[in-house]
Amino acid sequence: MFTMSNHFDQLKRTEQKLKETLKNALGMMRMTAAIFAPMITGLVVTLQQMIQTGVADAKSKMGSLGYEYLDLSFLTNPGLDVEILQLIAGVYMITLAILLIRYVTLLEYGKDDIMVKTELAKNIPIALFIFTATLAFSRVLLG
């Protein structure tokens, strides 16, 4: 009887350690979905805009210096507008947030549809706000 009791106590401690480890990993996934991914996608869009502006400025300056007829194919403007890239990055960020939040919620609470929808309703607006704020702040700061 004592051996079984000790064994169950050890199982409970092991279960608590596993829950704590899983809680840390799931918290990091939730932070990635709500904060890190929107910040990175917002910065990518701003950096692409800076690159396009830099290429256009370099091309016009070289044209004013008389280098119009050189074959500078590496200075062509990319075929993707910044607005289209912003739309693609935004859709990607929202899709990633939905998938990560659903996965985390399913691991934490099981197949509870109400909890999944509640977590999505809490985290998606945060992700959209961070994406928009990162775009605005980085364009003011960098552009």
Side-chain angles (χ1 to χ4, degrees), residues 20-39:
E20 188 67 31
T21 303
L22 186 62
K23 183 180 177 181
N24 292 336
L26 294 178
M28 191 62 192
M29 289 174 69
R30 186 172 278 133
M31 292 285 288
T32 299
I35 295 173
F36 300 132
M39 287 176 72

Side-chain angles (χ1 to χ4, degrees), residues 95-128:
T95 305
L96 178 68
I98 289 171
L99 290 174
L100 280 176
I101 291 166
R102 281 184 55 88
Y103 183 68
V104 167
T105 307
L106 287 173
L107 285 176
E108 278 184 334
Y109 302 105
K111 286 193 164 198
D112 187 0
D113 288 336
I114 294 172
M115 198 56 152
V116 170
K117 290 176 183 176
T118 302
E119 289 294 319
L120 285 172
K122 284 192 315 190
N123 289 305
I124 296 297
I126 293 170
L128 286 172

Side-chain angles (χ1 to χ4, degrees), residues 2 7 23 25-26 32 36 40 45 53 61 63 74 76-77 96 99-100 105 109 111 115 119 137-140 143:
F2 289 118
H7 182 67
K23 183 180 177 181
L26 294 178
T32 299
F36 300 132
I40 290 170
V45 171
T53 303
K61 285 181 183 177
F74 65 92
T76 59
N77 281 334
L96 178 68
L99 290 174
L100 280 176
T105 307
Y109 302 105
K111 286 193 164 198
M115 198 56 152
E119 289 294 319
F137 184 71
S138 62
R139 284 185 178 166
V140 168

Side-chain angles (χ1 to χ4, degrees), residues 3-54:
T3 305
M4 288 176 69
S5 175
N6 288 338
H7 182 67
F8 283 129
D9 288 340
Q10 190 177 19
L11 281 175
K12 284 182 182 179
R13 280 184 266 142
T14 304
E15 183 182 1
Q16 288 295 358
K17 287 179 186 177
L18 284 174
K19 282 183 180 180
E20 188 67 31
T21 303
L22 186 62
K23 183 180 177 181
N24 292 336
L26 294 178
M28 191 62 192
M29 289 174 69
R30 186 172 278 133
M31 292 285 288
T32 299
I35 295 173
F36 300 132
M39 287 176 72
I40 290 170
T41 52
L43 286 173
V44 164
V45 171
T46 303
L47 290 174
Q48 176 65 22
Q49 181 181 9
M50 286 176 55
I51 290 170
Q52 282 184 352
T53 303

